[in-house]
Amino acid sequence: MLFKVEMDISIPPGFAPDALERLKAAEKARFQELQRAGTWRHIWRVVGRYANVSIFDVESNADLHDILSTLPLYPFMTITVTPLCRHPSSLHDDDR
């Protein structure tokens, strides 16, 4: 199942800069692991915000929830999820 996932990150004022850098590094490593597995198919930055729009390919709603909750920055995220389905005019066979 494909999902569009919008993530807005809001770090609390006064959060320790060194702790934030460690979280960002862990987030990048987790993202790259999921990307290599084909789970996190696409990611785009949202201009002017600490946010992204991503496409996930997972088996179920529960799987997506479990994956998102493993992200190191998850406690600081506001997440919007939209289920997607293949458009009949798509030329891509892997849009399921």
Side-chain angles (χ1 to χ4, degrees):
M1 298 175 68
L2 295 178
F3 293 89
K4 177 180 84 168
V5 179
E6 299 174 59
M7 301 176 214
D8 283 282
I9 295 94
S10 180
I11 305 300
F15 195 83
D18 56 331
L20 180 56
E21 290 309 311
R22 284 192 302 274
L23 276 176
K24 286 180 179 181
E27 184 81 14
K28 181 178 181 178
R30 180 69 175 129
F31 157 70
Q32 289 178 340
E33 174 187 347
L34 292 166
Q35 189 177 32
R36 280 193 224 40
T39 302
W40 198 327
R41 288 182 52 178
H42 302 281
I43 187 170
W44 296 273
R45 285 185 174 179
V46 178
V47 175
R49 295 184 6 224
Y50 191 7
N52 72 71
V53 174
S54 295
I55 303 296
F56 282 78
D57 188 355
V58 296
E59 292 299 317
S60 69
N61 296 334
D63 286 342
L64 180 61
H65 177 79
D66 291 345
I67 289 166
L68 293 174
S69 66
T70 69
L71 299 175
L73 288 172
Y74 179 78
F76 307 109
M77 292 180 181
T78 300
I79 300 172
T80 304
V81 175
T82 305
L84 302 172
C85 63
R86 187 178 191 282
H87 193 283
S89 298
S90 177
L91 297 176
H92 302 284
D93 293 333
D94 66 343
D95 291 345
R96 43 181 182 109

